[in-house]
Amino acid sequence: MEQYKTDFIEFMVDSDVLKFGEFTLKSGRKSPFFMNAGAYITGSQLRRLGEYYARAINDNYGTDFDVLFGPAYKGIPLAVATTMAFSELYGKEIRYCSNRKEIKDHGDAGILLGSGLNDGDRVVIIEDVTTSGKSIEETFPILKEQANVDVVGLIISLNRQERGKTQKNALAELREVYGIETAAIVTMEEVIEHLYNKKYNGRVLIDDQMKSAMDLYYAQYGAK
């Protein structure tokens, strides 16, 4: 596993973004782990987060794209932080773009924030996590209504590796429906590999009991 991935796993834990216990998800599923990207709240956290995303984007999509699109609202700081990091790490100036939930009819009017979109723009969509793919269902029409863009792919921070609307992984469903590549900074399989029965900051986050609960969860909802 690449060093930036193991660093990112520990960064999620240190930032109180990735937690282990008992959680009820929006889907109603009872999960032994939970990720809340809203817990990234400081300047240093957002700077590091942008760097991890930038490295994962470069690994999966290279630098041949023009726009990083972050769906409102959580995608806005992700897109801003990552475009800054991409410029610093790879010397490539990409534009950030997002959407408004409500269309503005005065001043900087329209549905978009940041850069406009042009025919032929190559776009990467950035999100925190995707479980059902609902946000992409909303995002894709917005992009296509603004210009004839080429959506290169979708990058998320954590691939939960569980079923979406069908028996397939949510990311695999999006690949089939929209014909786009999908990727994540890390997968839950990599999280387990790095943390299982290992002490981190004096405690074992995934011990045998937690691993058993995760195995049961994936037996019911898992889809790699």
Side-chain angles (χ1 to χ4, degrees):
M1 195 189 318
E2 294 90 334
Q3 184 64 46
Y4 80 84
K5 291 191 174 190
T6 59
D7 289 347
F8 180 66
I9 292 168
E10 295 174 4
F11 172 62
M12 285 194 291
V13 173
D14 291 341
S15 302
D16 209 25
V17 166
L18 180 62
K19 301 179 181 181
F20 300 92
E22 296 182 6
F23 307 92
T24 301
L25 307 180
K26 284 183 179 180
S27 62
R29 296 175 183 176
K30 306 290 185 180
S31 174
F33 63 93
F34 181 69
M35 195 208 84
N36 173 26
Y40 296 119
I41 55 175
T42 69
S44 61
Q45 286 174 334
L46 290 171
R47 177 185 55 78
R48 290 183 62 188
L49 180 62
E51 291 173 354
Y52 291 125
Y53 267 111
R55 293 185 187 280
I57 290 171
N58 185 61
D59 277 0
N60 289 278
Y61 306 118
T63 62
D64 186 20
F65 68 102
D66 308 293
V67 179
L68 190 60
F69 185 89
Y73 290 105
K74 286 185 178 180
I76 298 174
L78 300 181
V80 172
T82 305
T83 53
M84 294 170 67
F86 214 86
S87 173
E88 292 178 3
L89 291 174
Y90 303 108
K92 173 69 182 289
E93 292 291 1
I94 55 174
R95 292 139 44 208
Y96 107 86
C97 181
S98 184
N99 64 295
R100 293 182 170 97
K101 290 288 189 179
E102 303 82 20
I103 299 176
K104 190 176 179 183
D105 59 5
H106 62 281
D108 181 19
I111 196 172
L112 298 182
L113 291 169
S115 172
L117 295 173
N118 306 311
D119 290 347
D121 275 344
R122 291 170 58 80
V123 179
V124 172
I125 302 171
I126 184 170
E127 289 215 283
D128 55 351
V129 66
T130 294
T131 302
S132 67
K134 181 179 179 182
S135 63
I136 300 302
E137 292 177 2
E138 298 171 349
T139 298
F140 226 79
I142 293 172
L143 291 171
K144 292 298 186 179
E145 286 169 3
Q146 301 306 307
N148 184 22
V149 300
D150 177 15
V151 180
V152 176
L154 164 71
I155 185 77
I156 63 174
S157 61
L158 175 66
N159 182 355
R160 290 182 59 97
Q161 295 183 294
E162 59 188 82
R163 297 200 315 267
K165 295 179 179 179
T166 67
Q167 295 298 313
K168 297 180 180 179
N169 182 289
L171 291 182
E173 291 175 352
L174 292 173
R175 282 196 297 270
E176 288 188 2
V177 173
Y178 298 102
I180 62 174
E181 293 300 316
T182 58
I185 302 176
V186 294
T187 66
M188 275 308 298
E189 185 175 27
E190 290 170 327
V191 170
I192 294 169
E193 174 189 339
H194 184 57
L195 295 179
Y196 177 48
N197 271 345
K198 298 175 185 175
K199 277 191 176 182
Y200 180 67
N201 286 343
R203 57 194 178 119
V204 177
L205 298 167
I206 304 179
D207 56 15
D208 289 336
Q209 184 177 357
M210 177 54 63
K211 179 63 163 55
S212 178
M214 297 177 83
D215 288 344
L216 288 173
Y217 182 79
Y218 277 111
Q220 186 172 7
Y221 300 115
K224 292 185 180 181

